[in-house]
Each structure stands twice: as structure tokens, then as C-alpha cells.
Amino acid sequence: MNKIKKLLVANRGEIALRVMRTAKEMGIQTVAVYSEADTHSPHVKFADEAVCLGPPPSNQSYLLADKIIEVCLELGVDAVHPGYGFLSENANFARKVTDAGIIFVGPSPQAIEVMGSKLAAKHAVSAYGIPMVPGTEDAIADIPAAKVKAAEIGYPILIKASAGGGGKGMRIVEHEEEFEEQMNRAISEAQSAFGDGAVFIEKYITSPRHIEIQVLGDLHGNIVYLFERECSVQRRHQRVIEEAPSAVVSPEMRKAMGEAAVKVAQACNYHGAGTVEFIVDEQLNFYFLEMNTRLQVEHPVTEMITGKDLVREQLLIAEGNPLPFKQEDLRINGHSLEVRVYAEDPRNNFLPDIGRLQTYIRPTGAGVRVDDGFEQGMDIPIYYDPMIAKLIVHDVDREAAIQKMIKAIDEYYITGIETTLSFCRFVLGHEAFKSGQFDTKFVEKYFTPDKLDIQWSAEELKLLAALGVELYDRHKNRLQLKSDAGITRTKWKNRLI
Ligand code: ADP
Ligand code: ADP
Ligand code: MG
């Protein structure tokens, strides 16, 4: 056992704060790092110690692996938590941290490497009987041969960059005629975006749901699954609303997916917290997509339904403790939803809307949690992801959780910038969402900016008209009263004279 005494969080914003909160609860000293754009950030104030890494751009601050390790050695830090994004899935960083004699709170560099490449990941799990999307197993080298394979799989197909991430590096090919051109473009795009031109093809699932399984593994070979999260409401292949459990996963399907996820983790000797992503078709067949070797943005919904603090478990695992629970000890309690509050304008193609948080009032109440990293009056920096906050609710079932989320969104009061809150409010009130019958195409299928305008029903319009008449009458009456009063006063005046 290697008790952690001082933890450096190599990240910013909400996740840096969230990790440090748990560390403090566990009696661990905390160190923040920050860029010049984040000097006044809550994560800097919250930490016991804080060190500025450099100018705002990430490659001059949050991505400076060597500088971060120097800070650790100077301040006597014994563990580094990478959060998500930035260096969290960088195997070289994990290796350098470990080589410096510091604990990396995450899996081994080897596991990060294998799962960081979608093709290497497919190879690693191939012996375990995990269902996979039909496609090619290796990088495309011979385009005519790949075209034959694509015809076998059947169009539409998806070309994917092996090194892709964050929804980037994917191309849909609808017809055979476009195959060569799209393939050539995909290869050169992958080369320039990820420095790795390896691409492969997969059957394009036309009505897919994105459902993922949270896993935890310790250093002694124990691995458990903490059930699923449904993340199908996405824009630009990036999620905006997540929930646990999913509205369509039965106990049998949950068990099958959970056991498959554990096998994926076993395939790379996984330890720490990780997520195995699956794509689910209309018949509810599930296929392995990839594994994310870090804490996910949406981890709180899993915490709400399992009652487990995932950061606490990460830190305990990193110290070498065996998992304190077994699969059969884990239960789902109620339902949880998360909406991501982005500084984006849903009326304008979800483009970032950077500016100052003029008013910022959070919702509160039983079962309402806000994970954020800003205060009223602060500017949202242009250099990083435009996520302001995550709003999470927990209630007894899905219907109650949706109602609670709608109330919480109505209570959230943000001015100065546009956010995704109005869009999320629209989704939660939509029949497709309420019934659970939706897929990753929700935005394309149901959303247009005019949906955010106030929609009056015929009944409401009648009421509005009646209200107008009433107001007009009162107004006219008041004018009458006023002139009556004038006459009276004149009369009095005359009498007095
Ligand atoms: P999650 O899988 O945790 O829900 P996302 O799928 O939205 O999060 O994004 C995956 C991860 O990639 C996140 O950690 C996010 O910060 C990061 N990310 C997203 N877009 C980019 C990008 N353009 N460059 C670098 N990292 C990105
Ligand atoms: P990333 O590394 O960018 O997260 P993923 O393989 O996890 O890449 O895919 C991201 C998203 O793209 C999925 O959540 C899903 O919406 C969509 N997607 C991925 N593969 C397929 C597929 N074969 N068919 C249809 N949609 C897909
Ligand atoms: Mg993914």
C-alpha cells in the first residue's frame, strides 16, 4: 500500500475542482496547476497550493508534461490525477510520471496505448468473443481490396481514423462511387489531424444508440462494472445529455454488456476507472466501439445511481487497495440525468458563444448537483472547451428525474452568454425523449432553432387574447376615472372660489 499524501491535478475547471474535493475529504493535500487565463479560477483558489504553468494556449500550459513533473518533484507531490482531456490519455505522460517515481492515477501506459488506437483495441479484444461492428480489422493499405470488402459489408459504411477521438476523423460513405475519393480524403485528414493516417471501415449503423459501461479494476486483477450510461443525445458526435440507467436496457442486456465490458478491460490488464463504449442498433444488438482509459465527463450519473464516488475509488486503487466491493454488492438506485451546459448558441449551429457570465445563479435542492468551475462575473476563456457546468439530478425513476431536471433548468439563471440549457429543456420535453425512443440523430430529426421560441397552444392563445381585452378595458376605465377625478377637482375648486 502506498498512501497518497499530496495530489497534483493536471487539469482545469470543473473536473479539477471535482477531483480536489474528494482528495480533501480523504485528507490528501492538493496542488493545482493553471494557465495565465485561469489565474482567478475557483480550482486555483480551492487548492492548497497552485503553480502557474504559462500562457493560455494549452500547448504552453496544461499540455507541458515535463513542466508538470518538475512541479511535482519540487513540491513533493506523490500522485498525479489527469482528469479528462489534456494529458489524460497520453501514454508518454503516464510513463514519464511513473518513471519519476510518482503515482499516475489511471491505467498503465500500455493499456492507454492499446486502447488509444481503435485498431489495436479491436485486435486486443478479438480473442474474447466481444461483438464488433462488421468491418476491416487492419488499416486500409489497398484501396481496391477495401472497396470489395465495403461492398460485402454493404453501404452506407463509415471510414474511421484509428487514432481519432472526440467525434473527429469519421466519414460516412453512402454509395460505392464515392468510395475512393472519400477514402483518400480520410487518409490525408487523419494524417494531418492525428499524425497517423491509419483508417479502417465499419458498417454504418443507421439508427444507433450510444451506450457505455463504467468499469473499475484494481491492481490485483479484480474488475467490476458499474452499469450503463446512455449518451445518445449528441451534436457533432459529442454528447449533451446523459443518463443512467438507459431507458431501453433490460437486466439481461445489462448483464451481457457488463460482462463484455469486463472482458475488454481484462484484455488490456486494466486498472483504474475506465469506460467501454458500445453502439446499439435498432434491434438492441450491441457492438464494441472503443475504450476510454480515463474518468468520463458524464461519470456523475453513475455515482448518483450506485452511491459510489468514482474519484475516491480511483485514488484507493492507485494506492494499491483491493476493490472494496464485488459485482454482486452493486445495485442501481433510482435514475440520474446530466445535461452539459456549454457556452454555445443552439440557435446558431451550436457555435461557441464566448463572453462574460454576467449573471450566474445555480439551481439547488434535494437530488440536484452542479459540477462547475466558474463564478458570476468571470469570462469563459476562448482557449479551452466551452463547457461551463454539468447539471446532474437524481430521483426515484426516469419520469421523476426528467421533471426534476426541467425544474432545475428553469431555476438556472445565466446571462451574458448563450448556453445549451434552452436546447436541453427542449429535449427533455420532447415525446421521443420522454418515451425513450431516440437515437444519436435526435438533433437532426427533431431540432430546429425555432423550437426554442415560445410555442403557444390554441388554448393559450385564446387566454392571451382574453387577457388583452381585460387589460384594455382596465386601461380605458382608468382613463375614465382619471378624467372624472379631474372634473371633481375642478368642481371643488369652483365651489371654493
Ligand atoms: P466524454 O467521452 O468524456 O463524454 P467527449 O466524448 O465529449 O467526452 O470528449 C472526449 C474527450 O476528448 C473529452 O475529454 C474532451 O475534453 C476531449 N476532446 C474533445 N474534443 C477535443 C479536441 N478537439 N481536442 C482534444 N480533446 C478533445
Ligand atoms: P470517438 O473516439 O470520436 O469517440 P467513437 O468510435 O466512439 O469515436 O464514435 C463516436 C460516435 O460516432 C459514436 O458515439 C456514434 O454516435 C458515432 N459512431 C461511431 N461508430 C459508428 C458506426 N459504426 N455507425 C454509426 N455511428 C457510429
Ligand atoms: Mg468514443
Side-chain angles (χ1 to χ4, degrees), residues 78-100:
D78 47 22
V80 171
H81 193 300
Y84 55 71
F86 295 128
L87 296 166
S88 63
E89 291 176 286
N90 183 318
N92 281 336
F93 178 63
R95 196 167 282 125
K96 281 183 177 177
V97 169
T98 316
D99 288 349

PDB file of all heavy atoms in Angstrom, residues 78-100:
ATOM      1  N   ASP A  78       3.079  13.186  -4.544  1.00  0.00           N
ATOM      2  CA  ASP A  78       3.294  11.743  -4.757  1.00  0.00           C
ATOM      3  C   ASP A  78       2.303  11.099  -5.722  1.00  0.00           C
ATOM      4  O   ASP A  78       2.436   9.919  -6.041  1.00  0.00           O
ATOM      5  CB  ASP A  78       3.393  10.975  -3.433  1.00  0.00           C
ATOM      6  CG  ASP A  78       2.304  11.332  -2.457  1.00  0.00           C
ATOM      7  OD1 ASP A  78       1.260  11.835  -2.905  1.00  0.00           O
ATOM      8  OD2 ASP A  78       2.502  11.107  -1.252  1.00  0.00           O
ATOM      9  N   ALA A  79       1.308  11.883  -6.237  1.00  0.00           N
ATOM     10  CA  ALA A  79       0.398  11.309  -7.243  1.00  0.00           C
ATOM     11  C   ALA A  79      -0.154  12.405  -8.154  1.00  0.00           C
ATOM     12  O   ALA A  79      -0.335  13.544  -7.726  1.00  0.00           O
ATOM     13  CB  ALA A  79      -0.762  10.579  -6.560  1.00  0.00           C
ATOM     14  N   VAL A  80      -0.433  12.027  -9.417  1.00  0.00           N
ATOM     15  CA  VAL A  80      -0.992  12.969 -10.398  1.00  0.00           C
ATOM     16  C   VAL A  80      -2.312  12.416 -10.921  1.00  0.00           C
ATOM     17  O   VAL A  80      -2.389  11.272 -11.360  1.00  0.00           O
ATOM     18  CB  VAL A  80      -0.023  13.164 -11.592  1.00  0.00           C
ATOM     19  CG1 VAL A  80      -0.683  13.970 -12.705  1.00  0.00           C
ATOM     20  CG2 VAL A  80       1.257  13.835 -11.148  1.00  0.00           C
ATOM     21  N   HIS A  81      -3.370  13.247 -10.849  1.00  0.00           N
ATOM     22  CA  HIS A  81      -4.653  12.878 -11.462  1.00  0.00           C
ATOM     23  C   HIS A  81      -4.793  13.711 -12.736  1.00  0.00           C
ATOM     24  O   HIS A  81      -4.744  14.935 -12.674  1.00  0.00           O
ATOM     25  CB  HIS A  81      -5.814  13.171 -10.502  1.00  0.00           C
ATOM     26  CG  HIS A  81      -7.102  12.533 -10.937  1.00  0.00           C
ATOM     27  ND1 HIS A  81      -7.699  12.827 -12.155  1.00  0.00           N
ATOM     28  CD2 HIS A  81      -7.900  11.603 -10.349  1.00  0.00           C
ATOM     29  CE1 HIS A  81      -8.802  12.102 -12.273  1.00  0.00           C
ATOM     30  NE2 HIS A  81      -8.951  11.352 -11.190  1.00  0.00           N
ATOM     31  N   PRO A  82      -4.974  13.067 -13.894  1.00  0.00           N
ATOM     32  CA  PRO A  82      -5.002  13.846 -15.141  1.00  0.00           C
ATOM     33  C   PRO A  82      -6.385  14.383 -15.531  1.00  0.00           C
ATOM     34  O   PRO A  82      -6.481  15.119 -16.522  1.00  0.00           O
ATOM     35  CB  PRO A  82      -4.523  12.825 -16.180  1.00  0.00           C
ATOM     36  CG  PRO A  82      -5.064  11.521 -15.658  1.00  0.00           C
ATOM     37  CD  PRO A  82      -5.056  11.614 -14.155  1.00  0.00           C
ATOM     38  N   GLY A  83      -7.454  14.021 -14.796  1.00  0.00           N
ATOM     39  CA  GLY A  83      -8.802  14.463 -15.195  1.00  0.00           C
ATOM     40  C   GLY A  83      -9.196  13.841 -16.523  1.00  0.00           C
ATOM     41  O   GLY A  83      -8.846  12.686 -16.794  1.00  0.00           O
ATOM     42  N   TYR A  84      -9.915  14.573 -17.380  1.00  0.00           N
ATOM     43  CA  TYR A  84     -10.212  14.090 -18.746  1.00  0.00           C
ATOM     44  C   TYR A  84      -9.685  15.124 -19.733  1.00  0.00           C
ATOM     45  O   TYR A  84      -9.414  16.271 -19.377  1.00  0.00           O
ATOM     46  CB  TYR A  84     -11.712  13.838 -18.929  1.00  0.00           C
ATOM     47  CG  TYR A  84     -12.609  15.002 -18.619  1.00  0.00           C
ATOM     48  CD1 TYR A  84     -12.658  16.120 -19.442  1.00  0.00           C
ATOM     49  CD2 TYR A  84     -13.424  14.988 -17.490  1.00  0.00           C
ATOM     50  CE1 TYR A  84     -13.482  17.193 -19.150  1.00  0.00           C
ATOM     51  CE2 TYR A  84     -14.251  16.069 -17.184  1.00  0.00           C
ATOM     52  CZ  TYR A  84     -14.270  17.163 -18.025  1.00  0.00           C
ATOM     53  OH  TYR A  84     -15.089  18.225 -17.736  1.00  0.00           O
ATOM     54  N   GLY A  85      -9.544  14.746 -21.006  1.00  0.00           N
ATOM     55  CA  GLY A  85      -8.950  15.660 -21.996  1.00  0.00           C
ATOM     56  C   GLY A  85      -7.467  15.845 -21.693  1.00  0.00           C
ATOM     57  O   GLY A  85      -6.849  14.997 -21.017  1.00  0.00           O
ATOM     58  N   PHE A  86      -6.881  16.928 -22.194  1.00  0.00           N
ATOM     59  CA  PHE A  86      -5.459  17.242 -21.981  1.00  0.00           C
ATOM     60  C   PHE A  86      -4.555  15.986 -22.015  1.00  0.00           C
ATOM     61  O   PHE A  86      -4.532  15.298 -23.016  1.00  0.00           O
ATOM     62  CB  PHE A  86      -5.279  18.061 -20.699  1.00  0.00           C
ATOM     63  CG  PHE A  86      -5.930  19.419 -20.762  1.00  0.00           C
ATOM     64  CD1 PHE A  86      -6.805  19.842 -19.761  1.00  0.00           C
ATOM     65  CD2 PHE A  86      -5.709  20.278 -21.831  1.00  0.00           C
ATOM     66  CE1 PHE A  86      -7.421  21.089 -19.826  1.00  0.00           C
ATOM     67  CE2 PHE A  86      -6.313  21.536 -21.905  1.00  0.00           C
ATOM     68  CZ  PHE A  86      -7.171  21.931 -20.903  1.00  0.00           C
ATOM     69  N   LEU A  87      -3.849  15.697 -20.881  1.00  0.00           N
ATOM     70  CA  LEU A  87      -2.859  14.605 -20.907  1.00  0.00           C
ATOM     71  C   LEU A  87      -3.432  13.269 -20.435  1.00  0.00           C
ATOM     72  O   LEU A  87      -2.689  12.298 -20.256  1.00  0.00           O
ATOM     73  CB  LEU A  87      -1.676  14.994 -20.005  1.00  0.00           C
ATOM     74  CG  LEU A  87      -0.872  16.227 -20.481  1.00  0.00           C
ATOM     75  CD1 LEU A  87       0.039  16.727 -19.366  1.00  0.00           C
ATOM     76  CD2 LEU A  87      -0.038  15.850 -21.713  1.00  0.00           C
ATOM     77  N   SER A  88      -4.764  13.214 -20.252  1.00  0.00           N
ATOM     78  CA  SER A  88      -5.330  12.036 -19.587  1.00  0.00           C
ATOM     79  C   SER A  88      -5.153  10.744 -20.377  1.00  0.00           C
ATOM     80  O   SER A  88      -5.096   9.671 -19.781  1.00  0.00           O
ATOM     81  CB  SER A  88      -6.817  12.255 -19.296  1.00  0.00           C
ATOM     82  OG  SER A  88      -7.527  12.409 -20.503  1.00  0.00           O
ATOM     83  N   GLU A  89      -5.097  10.813 -21.710  1.00  0.00           N
ATOM     84  CA  GLU A  89      -4.938   9.572 -22.470  1.00  0.00           C
ATOM     85  C   GLU A  89      -3.624   9.586 -23.238  1.00  0.00           C
ATOM     86  O   GLU A  89      -3.520   9.027 -24.321  1.00  0.00           O
ATOM     87  CB  GLU A  89      -6.147   9.367 -23.377  1.00  0.00           C
ATOM     88  CG  GLU A  89      -7.375   9.050 -22.537  1.00  0.00           C
ATOM     89  CD  GLU A  89      -8.657   8.921 -23.335  1.00  0.00           C
ATOM     90  OE1 GLU A  89      -9.180   9.952 -23.775  1.00  0.00           O
ATOM     91  OE2 GLU A  89      -9.119   7.789 -23.501  1.00  0.00           O
ATOM     92  N   ASN A  90      -2.632  10.212 -22.615  1.00  0.00           N
ATOM     93  CA  ASN A  90      -1.316  10.320 -23.219  1.00  0.00           C
ATOM     94  C   ASN A  90      -0.391   9.312 -22.520  1.00  0.00           C
ATOM     95  O   ASN A  90       0.015   9.514 -21.371  1.00  0.00           O
ATOM     96  CB  ASN A  90      -0.847  11.774 -23.036  1.00  0.00           C
ATOM     97  CG  ASN A  90       0.476  12.047 -23.692  1.00  0.00           C
ATOM     98  OD1 ASN A  90       1.391  11.226 -23.621  1.00  0.00           O
ATOM     99  ND2 ASN A  90       0.592  13.199 -24.311  1.00  0.00           N
ATOM    100  N   ALA A  91      -0.099   8.210 -23.227  1.00  0.00           N
ATOM    101  CA  ALA A  91       0.690   7.124 -22.614  1.00  0.00           C
ATOM    102  C   ALA A  91       2.086   7.610 -22.223  1.00  0.00           C
ATOM    103  O   ALA A  91       2.621   7.182 -21.193  1.00  0.00           O
ATOM    104  CB  ALA A  91       0.779   5.944 -23.578  1.00  0.00           C
ATOM    105  N   ASN A  92       2.660   8.531 -23.012  1.00  0.00           N
ATOM    106  CA  ASN A  92       4.000   9.031 -22.688  1.00  0.00           C
ATOM    107  C   ASN A  92       4.015   9.785 -21.374  1.00  0.00           C
ATOM    108  O   ASN A  92       4.958   9.672 -20.588  1.00  0.00           O
ATOM    109  CB  ASN A  92       4.511   9.990 -23.780  1.00  0.00           C
ATOM    110  CG  ASN A  92       5.017   9.203 -24.951  1.00  0.00           C
ATOM    111  OD1 ASN A  92       5.407   8.034 -24.806  1.00  0.00           O
ATOM    112  ND2 ASN A  92       4.985   9.828 -26.119  1.00  0.00           N
ATOM    113  N   PHE A  93       2.971  10.563 -21.155  1.00  0.00           N
ATOM    114  CA  PHE A  93       2.875  11.304 -19.902  1.00  0.00           C
ATOM    115  C   PHE A  93       2.775  10.319 -18.729  1.00  0.00           C
ATOM    116  O   PHE A  93       3.493  10.434 -17.729  1.00  0.00           O
ATOM    117  CB  PHE A  93       1.671  12.249 -19.928  1.00  0.00           C
ATOM    118  CG  PHE A  93       1.477  13.014 -18.645  1.00  0.00           C
ATOM    119  CD1 PHE A  93       2.444  13.914 -18.203  1.00  0.00           C
ATOM    120  CD2 PHE A  93       0.333  12.845 -17.873  1.00  0.00           C
ATOM    121  CE1 PHE A  93       2.278  14.634 -17.017  1.00  0.00           C
ATOM    122  CE2 PHE A  93       0.152  13.556 -16.689  1.00  0.00           C
ATOM    123  CZ  PHE A  93       1.129  14.444 -16.264  1.00  0.00           C
ATOM    124  N   ALA A  94       1.911   9.325 -18.868  1.00  0.00           N
ATOM    125  CA  ALA A  94       1.733   8.332 -17.799  1.00  0.00           C
ATOM    126  C   ALA A  94       3.073   7.652 -17.493  1.00  0.00           C
ATOM    127  O   ALA A  94       3.436   7.429 -16.331  1.00  0.00           O
ATOM    128  CB  ALA A  94       0.690   7.304 -18.218  1.00  0.00           C
ATOM    129  N   ARG A  95       3.819   7.371 -18.566  1.00  0.00           N
ATOM    130  CA  ARG A  95       5.101   6.683 -18.394  1.00  0.00           C
ATOM    131  C   ARG A  95       6.111   7.581 -17.688  1.00  0.00           C
ATOM    132  O   ARG A  95       6.798   7.156 -16.760  1.00  0.00           O
ATOM    133  CB  ARG A  95       5.624   6.253 -19.772  1.00  0.00           C
ATOM    134  CG  ARG A  95       6.706   5.219 -19.722  1.00  0.00           C
ATOM    135  CD  ARG A  95       6.970   4.604 -21.086  1.00  0.00           C
ATOM    136  NE  ARG A  95       5.975   3.620 -21.474  1.00  0.00           N
ATOM    137  CZ  ARG A  95       5.278   3.661 -22.613  1.00  0.00           C
ATOM    138  NH1 ARG A  95       5.449   4.650 -23.466  1.00  0.00           N
ATOM    139  NH2 ARG A  95       4.422   2.704 -22.887  1.00  0.00           N
ATOM    140  N   LYS A  96       6.152   8.853 -18.116  1.00  0.00           N
ATOM    141  CA  LYS A  96       7.099   9.801 -17.502  1.00  0.00           C
ATOM    142  C   LYS A  96       6.792  10.009 -16.021  1.00  0.00           C
ATOM    143  O   LYS A  96       7.708  10.101 -15.199  1.00  0.00           O
ATOM    144  CB  LYS A  96       7.019  11.155 -18.216  1.00  0.00           C
ATOM    145  CG  LYS A  96       7.769  11.193 -19.522  1.00  0.00           C
ATOM    146  CD  LYS A  96       7.698  12.591 -20.123  1.00  0.00           C
ATOM    147  CE  LYS A  96       8.510  12.671 -21.402  1.00  0.00           C
ATOM    148  NZ  LYS A  96       8.405  13.990 -22.025  1.00  0.00           N
ATOM    149  N   VAL A  97       5.503  10.102 -15.693  1.00  0.00           N
ATOM    150  CA  VAL A  97       5.100  10.291 -14.294  1.00  0.00           C
ATOM    151  C   VAL A  97       5.589   9.104 -13.475  1.00  0.00           C
ATOM    152  O   VAL A  97       6.242   9.253 -12.440  1.00  0.00           O
ATOM    153  CB  VAL A  97       3.558  10.448 -14.182  1.00  0.00           C
ATOM    154  CG1 VAL A  97       3.101  10.373 -12.735  1.00  0.00           C
ATOM    155  CG2 VAL A  97       3.107  11.763 -14.820  1.00  0.00           C
ATOM    156  N   THR A  98       5.305   7.896 -13.977  1.00  0.00           N
ATOM    157  CA  THR A  98       5.684   6.683 -13.258  1.00  0.00           C
ATOM    158  C   THR A  98       7.204   6.587 -13.130  1.00  0.00           C
ATOM    159  O   THR A  98       7.720   6.246 -12.058  1.00  0.00           O
ATOM    160  CB  THR A  98       5.127   5.449 -14.010  1.00  0.00           C
ATOM    161  OG1 THR A  98       3.782   5.756 -14.390  1.00  0.00           O
ATOM    162  CG2 THR A  98       5.115   4.213 -13.149  1.00  0.00           C
ATOM    163  N   ASP A  99       7.912   6.912 -14.227  1.00  0.00           N
ATOM    164  CA  ASP A  99       9.385   6.850 -14.194  1.00  0.00           C
ATOM    165  C   ASP A  99       9.976   7.816 -13.175  1.00  0.00           C
ATOM    166  O   ASP A  99      11.069   7.594 -12.659  1.00  0.00           O
ATOM    167  CB  ASP A  99       9.972   7.161 -15.578  1.00  0.00           C
ATOM    168  CG  ASP A  99       9.736   6.016 -16.551  1.00  0.00           C
ATOM    169  OD1 ASP A  99       9.313   4.933 -16.083  1.00  0.00           O
ATOM    170  OD2 ASP A  99       9.936   6.205 -17.769  1.00  0.00           O
ATOM    171  N   ALA A 100       9.243   8.915 -12.892  1.00  0.00           N
ATOM    172  CA  ALA A 100       9.739   9.884 -11.900  1.00  0.00           C
ATOM    173  C   ALA A 100       9.410   9.442 -10.476  1.00  0.00           C
ATOM    174  O   ALA A 100       9.644  10.179  -9.521  1.00  0.00           O
ATOM    175  CB  ALA A 100       9.139  11.255 -12.189  1.00  0.00           C
TER     176      ALA A 100
END
